[in-house]
Amino acid sequence: MRSATPKVLHRLGGRSMLGHALAAAEGVGPQRVAVVVRHEREKVAAHALEVLPSALLVDQDDVPGTGRAVQCALDALDAKAFAQSVADGVPVGEEGRGAGDGLVGSVVVIAGDVPLLDGDTIGALLDAHHSGGNAVTVLTTEVPDSTGYGRIVRDEATGDVLRIVEHKDASAQEREIREINTSIYAFDAAALRDGLGKVGRDNAQGEVYLPDVLALAREAGGSVRAVLADDPMTVEGVNDRAQLATLGAELNRRVLARWMAAGVTVVDPATTWVDVGVELAEDVTIHPGTQLHGATTIARGAVVGPDTTLTDMEIGEEASVVRTHGSLSVIGAGASVGPFAYLRPGTVLGTNGKIGTFVETKNAEIGEGSKVPHLSYVGDATIGEHTNIGAASVTVNYDGVRKHRTVIGSHARTGADNMFVAPVRVGDGAYTGAGSVIRRDVPAGALAVSAGAQRIIDGWVTKRRPGTPAAEAAEAASGSDRSAALGRQAQVEEAGRTSATEAERPTPPPPSPGVPHLGGPSQHAADNEGPRS
């Protein structure tokens, strides 16, 4: 793979190749699963136990070959079986071994780099193995080009398998065979044990070949047969990045086909990627450019995408998530998210809530019916029910050392461009004015404002920034055509200024009772002549 990552830990469909192999093995309900490790032992062993904590880890020694790998595994399984026999009270002989010594029954051997193999395919192999009373049953398939694969040599009269010949050891006639070995077998434990004890290393690679056991089992009088897999992709292995991409695309195609058959609408399967661990309900709609990863679950009637990536998310019924990147978060039923939202871990959006355009959330609980419509950051916060957060608001949660929490109650209305400097609380039904910095707790039902009166210093740019493009533009606008260049609100203010010089202008009256303007700058000048705090 030309990678610092061990081959079997490369991922497709949300799992490592080893994870796919373990899932397939678990699909037939085995008594025990053994994982043979050698290259990059620590990484592979740790991942195997993460995926399947009950796995028996087996170290292969320096003797190369698949046969040696299986022999090491069988020795470990025999030891476990013997220990269990002793624990169960089976008599032990003079040499320390008893009648219960060693593994009995069927041993299935699979490779760690066959990611599309599934429990159903292994189950069919085992069924054929048991019904035929075989010593060995090998899973095979046919391919147009068998270069590099082990060839299946059959008895022309019975169809039984005579032997498996590796490509480098095959004759010219044997290289014409299109039926190949998939490296997936079912063995009788006794036949496997006996055959492994006789296998040598007399081959082009100098390895202990597991396929050599088949010929030895046949010589010992056992039946050796094959089960042909109709779909070569199911049993195809991965040896490079190109094959990984090919099988990843095929796996995704199969996953999408399964969900579409179950009632999910996938508008464009070519641009939609869904991991094997994702769960989708009926009548979910997935739009183009969507990627669903990990343990994401999407409930009935929800619409996701386009251009959305969700990892380990929970999406409620009838929710809508558009052009959003999210992870480890929960979206309630009927809620809407996006476009262009970023949901970081710990976000919980209540039923019928809204997280809108260019909003980032993290570790935030947003109650039922509450809205954060646009251009805001809500981190380390709790927002009650049916509250509206004004545009361009920020919960200022970090003091340079620790994170602090903002709590905003239910039915609150916060103005645009608010900074909530945590830790701070805003009570139920409270209002805050536009442009306010909320540093102290706001009681329920109160109005909090912190913006001062607007000041205008005429001529500041031409005096303090002479020679700049801004100063030149200001000087050009100061001529006879200045009024024509001004907007309506600015013209009104200009007319007021020309009626008196700054020295003669009367002192403005003190603030009068009333509700200050909470909106943005799009109001008329008369709206801005109200009370100030």
Side-chain angles (χ1 to χ4, degrees):
M1 302 295 283
R2 298 185 182 274
S3 173
T5 300
K7 173 180 168 180
V8 295
L9 299 192
H10 282 264
R11 302 178 71 86
L12 65 166
R15 283 185 189 151
S16 66
M17 286 196 281
L18 177 56
H20 285 288
L22 291 172
E26 283 288 280
V28 294
Q31 293 181 347
R32 187 176 294 276
V33 175
V35 179
V36 182
V37 292
R38 186 179 182 187
H39 176 67
E40 295 281 3
R41 190 254 185 228
E42 297 305 321
K43 291 181 181 178
V44 176
H47 182 71
L49 292 179
E50 179 184 346
V51 174
L52 185 64
S54 63
L56 173 64
L57 297 180
V58 177
D59 288 288
Q60 183 177 354
D61 55 24
D62 292 333
V63 178
T66 53
R68 183 57 181 169
V70 173
Q71 190 170 37
C72 292
L74 186 60
D75 288 345
L77 291 168
D78 279 344
K80 285 287 185 180
F82 174 69
Q84 186 62 52
S85 297
V86 173
D88 293 341
V90 176
V92 178
E94 293 182 359
E95 297 182 359
R97 310 291 276 182
D101 124 274
L103 192 69
V104 294
S106 299
V107 178
V108 176
V109 177
I110 66 176
D113 61 354
V114 185
L116 269 59
L117 181 66
D118 53 37
D120 289 344
T121 302
I122 299 175
L125 174 68
L126 276 171
D127 288 345
H129 180 70
H130 294 151
S131 63
N134 300 338
V136 186
T137 309
V138 57
L139 187 65
T140 68
T141 194
E142 292 183 352
V143 294
D145 182 5
S146 55
T147 302
Y149 293 101
R151 310 309 203 278
I152 301 296
V153 181
R154 289 182 180 260
D155 185 317
E156 294 183 0
T158 65
D160 288 358
V161 177
L162 297 177
R163 63 187 180 278
I164 298 176
V165 182
E166 296 299 322
H167 180 83
K168 291 184 178 181
D169 301 311
S171 66
Q173 183 178 358
E174 289 169 337
R175 290 187 179 187
E176 296 298 317
I177 298 172
R178 294 292 172 260
E179 185 179 13
I180 62 168
N181 177 26
T182 66
S183 300
I184 300 164
Y185 311 87
F187 292 94
D188 174 74
L192 178 61
R193 189 179 297 109
D194 181 65
L196 287 172
K198 299 175 182 178
V199 173
R201 298 171 62 181
D202 185 17
N203 52 64
Q205 295 287 88
E207 297 181 359
V208 180
Y209 283 160
L210 181 60
D212 289 351
V213 172
L214 278 66
L216 293 169
R218 183 177 175 85
E219 290 175 5
S223 297
V224 179
R225 298 189 173 95
V227 173
L228 183 68
D230 295 332
D231 183 2
M233 296 288 277
T234 300
V235 292
E236 185 170 339
V238 173
N239 291 305
D240 56 38
R241 307 291 183 115
Q243 290 174 329
L244 183 69
T246 298
L247 289 185
E250 173 60 17
L251 175 61
N252 188 66
R253 185 195 67 78
R254 296 182 182 195
V255 169
L256 293 180
R258 174 167 60 87
W259 285 121
M260 287 188 284
V264 173
T265 295
V266 180
V267 175
D268 183 15
T271 62
T272 302
W273 292 81
V274 177
D275 284 354
V276 295
V278 171
E279 292 291 332
L280 307 175
E282 291 180 4
D283 292 324
V284 165
T285 298
I286 309 296
H287 285 291
T290 294
Q291 301 177 55
L292 305 177
H293 298 307
T296 294
T297 63
I298 302 180
R300 184 187 299 270
V303 178
V304 177
D307 307 322
T308 294
T309 300
L310 305 180
T311 303
D312 299 323
M313 296 277 292
E314 180 182 331
I315 311 299
E317 291 188 2
E318 305 293 335
S320 171
V321 183
V322 179
R323 288 192 169 89
T324 292
H325 192 106
S327 61
L328 287 168
S329 299
V330 177
I331 306 303
S336 66
V337 178
F340 309 114
Y342 179 26
L343 276 56
R344 293 165 59 191
T347 297
V348 178
L349 178 62
T351 303
N352 298 319
K354 178 180 177 66
I355 293 174
T357 308
F358 298 113
V359 173
E360 178 181 345
T361 60
K362 186 268 294 185
N363 193 23
E365 300 174 15
I366 302 169
E368 177 181 353
S370 288
K371 301 177 181 180
V372 186
H374 30 223
L375 301 166
S376 297
Y377 171 69
V378 179
D380 297 296
T382 299
I383 298 173
E385 300 178 353
H386 304 289
T387 285
N388 188 84
I389 304 299
S393 292
V394 174
T395 58
V396 186
N397 56 341
Y398 186 47
D399 66 4
V401 179
R402 292 180 297 274
K403 298 290 182 71
H404 301 280
R405 198 161 190 84
T406 296
V407 178
I408 300 175
S410 298
H411 298 279
R413 299 290 183 269
T414 71
D417 195 25
N418 275 196
M419 302 288 115
F420 298 92
V421 182
V424 70
R425 302 177 68 92
V426 176
D428 293 348
Y431 276 56
T432 62
S436 295
V437 179
I438 306 302
R439 301 177 182 274
R440 295 181 296 164
D441 290 354
V442 180
L447 168 66
V449 293
S450 67
Q454 178 175 312
R455 295 178 61 206
I456 296 177
I457 304 175
D458 207 12
W460 186 91
V461 173
T462 55
K463 294 177 182 177
R464 297 299 183 91
R465 299 291 183 267
T468 64
E472 293 172 358
E475 290 170 355
S478 65
S480 59
D481 61 341
R482 178 179 179 183
S483 295
L486 297 175
R488 180 169 177 246
Q489 178 176 335
Q491 290 180 34
V492 173
E493 294 183 359
E494 177 72 5
R497 278 199 297 273
T498 57
S499 64
T501 65
E502 285 292 322
E504 297 171 339
R505 179 168 298 193
T507 303
S512 59
V515 178
H517 168 55
L518 301 180
S522 61
Q523 304 294 320
H524 297 306
D527 294 334
N528 292 321
E529 295 302 319
R532 295 288 185 268
S533 297

